[in-house]
Amino acid sequence: MAAKGLPTAITVDSVVASGKAEGLRVAVVYTAWNEGIVDKLRARAEDTARAVGAKVESFCVAGALEIPVVAQAAARRFDAVVALGCVIRGDTAHFDYVCDSVTEGLTRVALDEEIPVGNGVLTVENEQQAHDRAGGADAKEDKGAEAMLAALHTAGVLARVRSFPGETGRK
């Protein structure tokens, strides 16, 4: 499980204590595919945003490949973006193309728009792995909440960097 090495310092309590998330506007972009799993991810992400005082608006797209373009549009209007979905490996190379494209697209959005993008798109071998990561009573991980906390924490770090006094450091 990927929870090994999970940072324990980034929690709802630590984000609340920082005061950096209060009033932030966060867009959640999620897929219609694998609805039951994605609904859990979305619910956990939205609950986490509200728990730290952020305002959240959610947008549903057809599939994982549509996430980056909507995430980019949202990045221009929100303080942070969280992408949620679930891609389960099938019998063809399609899984690899989709996963690579989504990851590269979200990374590009974050860098081009200079905004945090929490990546909660599960890329799993089977449905059981997805359930184990989606949050909820029997889940081993909570990727919706983790993606939201990562985005909000990073928004706080970026705010600190942007408010740093003095020269830009660039020559």
Side-chain angles (χ1 to χ4, degrees), residues 35-122:
E35 182 179 32
I37 294 162
V38 175
D39 282 348
K40 287 180 191 177
L41 292 166
R42 184 170 53 87
R44 293 298 302 134
E46 290 172 349
D47 289 349
T48 301
R50 289 185 196 101
V52 300
K55 298 173 186 169
V56 63
E57 188 71 36
S58 294
F59 303 92
C60 184
V61 297
L65 288 174
E66 290 75 33
I67 292 173
V69 68
V70 175
Q72 185 164 35
R76 294 176 179 156
R77 296 185 169 269
F78 290 82
D79 301 306
V81 175
V82 173
L84 302 172
C86 178
V87 184
I88 300 173
R89 186 180 296 278
D91 295 330
T92 68
H94 182 69
F95 172 88
D96 297 312
Y97 298 126
V98 171
C99 295
D100 288 347
S101 293
V102 172
T103 300
E104 289 175 17
L106 293 175
T107 300
R108 188 175 134 202
V109 169
L111 294 173
D112 289 354
E113 302 301 329
E114 294 185 10
I115 191 165
V117 176
N119 185 348
V121 178
L122 303 181

Side-chain angles (χ1 to χ4, degrees), residues 18-21 24 116 150-163:
S18 76
K20 302 288 189 208
L24 286 182
L152 293 171
H153 179 267
T154 304
V157 172
L158 280 172
R160 185 171 164 236
V161 168
R162 291 176 178 147
S163 69

Side-chain angles (χ1 to χ4, degrees), residues 10-31:
I10 303 171
T11 64
V12 169
D13 291 340
S14 70
V15 172
V16 168
S18 76
K20 302 288 189 208
E22 184 71 37
L24 286 182
R25 295 172 5 148
V26 185
V28 173
V29 182
Y30 67 98
T31 68

